[in-house]
Amino acid sequence: MKKFLKTNGYYLILIVCVFAVCIAGIAILEHKSNDDTSTLLNKDPVSADLIPTASMPQSTDSQQSSANGGSTSVSKPVKPSATAPQGTAEPEKLTLAKPVSGKILVEFSDKKLVYNKTLKEWKVHPAIDIAGKKGEDVKCAVTGTVIDIKSDPLYGTTIIIDNGNGTKTIYCGIAAMNDLTVGKQVTTGSVLGTLGDTIFCEKETGTHLHFEVIQNGKKVDPTLFFPKETSADASDAEDSDSSTPSPTSTSTTTPTATSKPTSTINIMQPTATSVG
């Protein structure tokens, strides 16, 4: 035994030391773990004062009241004043003077088809045709600026006037112009030119002025803007169209009744005739 200890004692001591170190390390780790657990269990909860709370922003009036020592209160929304402006005012209604004095031969119709005697076809008529005499003065219906003068193959010499506020007036069938140029300012009642019979597509209507009004890009009935005493002339147009054929009517003949022999005699009954 002594010989064994003398020979292997060094290794035995080394093993004991290693074992002791392991035991000590385990003990230290367990102690530290217990301390951490105790610290976590005994730690004070977070104070409610430290928890941030959401607060509603106060109005300027409330902040000023707090600064002056007054009590804070939520300000109520201010109601709009009864005298506040309620939108922009509507533009003035357009008033047109009649460019020529004759009666209206063909009324405005942008949906219902109107028979064109010259072209012999049914089509819309987004204008009015006002009767006149060749050489009669054509007057400006409302103040504006001449923006175009053109020679149209169907409607003859045509004058277009910009009257502002999205309104344009168009005069077709002019024979000669009264010193008129593009860009010239014209006033209500001023003479634009003289009337002719240059409207090729409406030649059968006779000498007249083809007159159009456009508002915001849409053609509208000019008689809506004439004074009442002149807009009544539109009723005369009904007489001029009385001989116009209907687009849907067709000519049919009613067959006459044929005579039938009686069952008892051979004498033919007289033929029935219709009363015209």
Side-chain angles (χ1 to χ4, degrees), residues 231-255:
S231 62
D233 295 338
S235 60
D236 296 333
E238 296 178 1
D239 299 334
S240 64
D241 293 337
S242 58
S243 60
T244 302
S246 171
T248 57
S249 63
T250 56
S251 60
T252 58
T253 57
T254 305

Side-chain angles (χ1 to χ4, degrees), residues 244-268:
T244 302
S246 171
T248 57
S249 63
T250 56
S251 60
T252 58
T253 57
T254 305
T256 57
T258 58
S259 59
K260 296 181 181 180
T262 63
S263 59
T264 57
I265 59 176
N266 293 327
I267 300 174
M268 301 293 292

Side-chain angles (χ1 to χ4, degrees), residues 162-241:
D162 187 348
N163 308 104
N165 296 323
T167 302
K168 295 178 183 177
T169 46
I170 301 176
Y171 308 75
C172 303
I174 307 297
M177 290 177 293
N178 186 24
D179 191 25
L180 203 65
T181 57
V182 174
K184 184 175 181 178
Q185 300 287 325
V186 288
T187 57
T188 303
S190 61
V191 178
L192 303 177
T194 56
L195 191 62
D197 51 1
T198 59
I199 302 179
F200 171 77
C201 65
E202 296 176 347
K203 204 169 185 66
E204 292 295 325
T205 307
T207 303
H208 68 279
L209 177 73
H210 181 94
F211 182 59
E212 298 182 8
V213 175
I214 300 177
Q215 278 194 327
N216 301 317
K218 181 181 179 182
K219 294 183 179 182
V220 295
D221 188 351
T223 61
L224 298 176
F225 310 105
F226 285 159
K228 291 182 179 180
E229 60 270 20
T230 58
S231 62
D233 295 338
S235 60
D236 296 333
E238 296 178 1
D239 299 334
S240 64
D241 293 337

Side-chain angles (χ1 to χ4, degrees), residues 43-110:
K43 190 173 182 180
D44 293 336
V46 179
S47 174
D49 295 337
L50 299 178
I51 299 176
T53 57
S55 59
M56 296 295 293
Q58 295 181 348
S59 64
T60 305
D61 294 339
S62 299
Q63 292 175 355
Q64 291 177 353
S65 177
S66 298
N68 296 328
S71 59
T72 60
S73 61
V74 179
S75 61
K76 296 182 180 180
V78 179
K79 293 183 180 180
S81 174
T83 58
Q86 301 295 325
T88 57
E90 293 183 359
E92 260 184 54
K93 185 178 178 181
L94 180 68
T95 301
L96 299 178
K98 207 172 179 183
V100 290
S101 58
K103 67 180 181 180
I104 296 176
L105 301 175
V106 183
E107 294 179 340
F108 177 90
S109 179
D110 61 345

